Amino acid sequence: MLDQYSLSLPGAVYSGKGALGRIRDITEGKYRKAAVFTDKGVEQAGLLARPMEQLREAGVDTVVITDLPAEPNCDEAQGIVERFLQTEADIIVAVGGGSVMDVAKLASITADTSLTVRELLENPGLGRKSVPTMMIPTTAGTGSEATMNSIVAVPEKQLKVGIVNREMIPDFVILDGSLLKNLPKKIAASTGIDAMAHAVECFTSNKANPFSNLFAKEAARLIFQNIEAACEDPDAEEAKTNMLIAAFYAGVAISASGTTAVHALSYPLGGKYHIPHGVSNAMLLLPVMRFNQSACGKEFAELFDEVTKEGSQALKMTEEEKGEKLLARMEEIIRRLEIPSSLSDFGIGAEELEDLVKAGLDVKRLLNNNKKEITYEDARRLYLEIMKEPSQGITDGKGKGEK
Ligand SMILES: NC(=O)c1ccc[n+]([C@@H]2O[C@H](COP(=O)([O-])OP(=O)(O)OC[C@H]3O[C@@H](n4cnc5c(N)ncnc54)[C@H](O)[C@@H]3O)[C@@H](O)[C@H]2O)c1
Ligand SMILES: [Zn+2]
């Protein structure tokens, strides 16, 4: 546990039924022109109409950039930043998942400087916020709407790298569960497990502290209790809103604490093989937490008390039994959501093992947060474990090489 800690929060967060309706109050008379960042999937899902209508009613001009790439690399992000510079907008409104929000954050701290994204990678602290951001997440999710991080792939390193700068903390956040109504189950599941990983990793991190624990515990409770309904039932708006709130809380926990070995070992899987962020974390979450069990017994038992409804039964259980039950419940959820669980689903075999281990062990910023040290042999064993048999979730081969 850290001796000193701090809490950083976005300027204002709006949630609940009809939260999108707040866009007008926030912007009317205050902003002249909004650059709306989004991607094709979000646009095709029809999710831009309501934010655009609100901005129109507020008398704010708009320019829409619709082709943000999924899980961008640093050069792709730079391309979007340059297009943003032409817009002369005085607010950025990001409607989308982590991919869209992360690029919006980079644009907001490079707009009044000649800084490039590559320069930020070298020197993240140089960025200064000059354009406010409004984040409207459509996945639940990365929690990017709460964090000071932006994650980009660096092609020559075949890794994903987090750019961290407090100036990137968003100004306005809108958490409206109705945006998740038609989120495909596959995406809802993997992004939801990403949020679960954020909560569990932050709670068991060497950087955990009273501030992060408050948010991580409540995020975990909401996720364990809502993720299945939110993924499986398009009409479960309350469960979806709870997942959005949970993903946001888990993002707050990331800023106060930090993720650990799940995210560290997952970075090369995204950077080199383009496995979606949520999927690679879902593959690693259980193996890493089982590995961590001997060092995180107390934390697992505490989380178990928080997330399950065992009531008086729990009084009779030992710390170890609680940890076992927590991990069993985690496994049940991951299986039920049918997320690919093996690297062989993506055509990645043992010939890649050495490169993976080397790249994973390089993510020291996050590995240092893990309670139990991960040696070369440990990393090798963990990657081998997720290379095993193809997952039960994928039966039609569509997972191969997908992005
Ligand atoms: N900044 C942070 O703190 C942070 C934390 C974790 C992850 N990330 C990064 O976020 C990125 C991943 O973001 P993500 O998991 O949200 O996925 P994403 O933003 O890449 O979106 C995945 C797909 O879902 C589609 N989509 C999104 N919302 C939809 C909706 N409501 N209905 C239909 N389709 C929808 C998108 O069009 C896209 O094709 C990665 O680059 C990851 O590294 C950032
Ligand atoms: Zn994540």
Side-chain angles (χ1 to χ4, degrees), residues 194 198 263 277 281:
D194 183 30
H198 296 161
H263 272 67
H277 179 80
N281 286 324

Side-chain angles (χ1 to χ4, degrees), residues 39-42 45 47 70-72 96-100 102 105 138-139 141-144 147 149-151 160 179-180 182-184 187 191 194 198 254 263 277-278:
D39 67 23
K40 290 279 177 243
V42 172
L47 304 181
E71 311 224 357
S99 298
V100 170
D102 278 7
K105 287 155 85 172
T138 61
T139 60
T142 64
S144 174
T147 70
N149 306 355
S150 174
I151 298 170
K160 298 198 100 180
L179 290 168
L180 273 59
N182 295 314
L183 180 65
I187 301 175
T191 52
D194 183 30
H198 296 161
I254 292 181
H263 272 67
H277 179 80

